[in-house]
């Protein structure tokens, strides 16, 4: 299994960017698919985003920064690839 790319999701058709408000898991921590892993904020609301895969999280983004929809903010590495 390959790495799962963590991206800023589209939460509304009218939204083109979102702020990364909080990381709910630490860099290097194991997560299960479906568990909340980060929070984004748009003009209208904050929203928790769930992991799209199970594995080890490696963040590449900064809390407090604003990112375009679809921007990569990290990866979830499968257990066998986590330390490669």
């Amino acid at each position: 299994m390959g790495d799962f790319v963590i991206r800023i999701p589209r939460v509304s058709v009218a939204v083109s960017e979102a702020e990364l408000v909080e990381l709910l898991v630490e860099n290097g921590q194991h997560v299960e698919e479906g568990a909340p892993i980060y929070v984004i904020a748009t003009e209208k609301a904050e929203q928790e985003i769930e992991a799209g895969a199970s594995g080890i999280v490696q963040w590449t983004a900064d809390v407090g920064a604003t990112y375009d929809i679809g921007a990569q903010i990290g990866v979830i590495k499968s257990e066998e690839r986590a330390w490669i």
Side-chain angles (χ1 to χ4, degrees):
M1 180 172 132
D3 296 342
F4 178 86
V5 177
I6 304 170
R7 298 185 184 278
I8 297 291
R10 180 169 300 283
V11 293
S12 168
V13 175
V15 174
S16 63
E17 62 184 21
E19 179 185 355
L20 180 58
V21 176
E22 182 180 2
L23 301 176
L24 302 175
V25 298
E26 298 290 324
N27 209 30
Q29 184 176 340
H30 175 82
V31 296
E32 291 295 326
E33 183 174 357
I37 59 171
Y38 64 101
V39 179
I40 60 170
T42 63
E43 296 175 353
K44 300 189 183 216
E46 287 189 2
Q47 182 172 353
E48 285 187 352
I49 308 300
E50 297 176 351
S54 296
I56 304 299
V57 175
Q58 293 184 340
W59 296 110
T60 58
D62 296 315
V63 171
T66 299
Y67 295 93
D68 291 336
I69 300 304
Q72 180 175 335
I73 60 170
V75 294
I76 299 175
K77 294 188 169 280
S78 61
E79 294 294 335
E80 56 273 359
R81 292 185 38 83
W83 308 112
I84 296 176

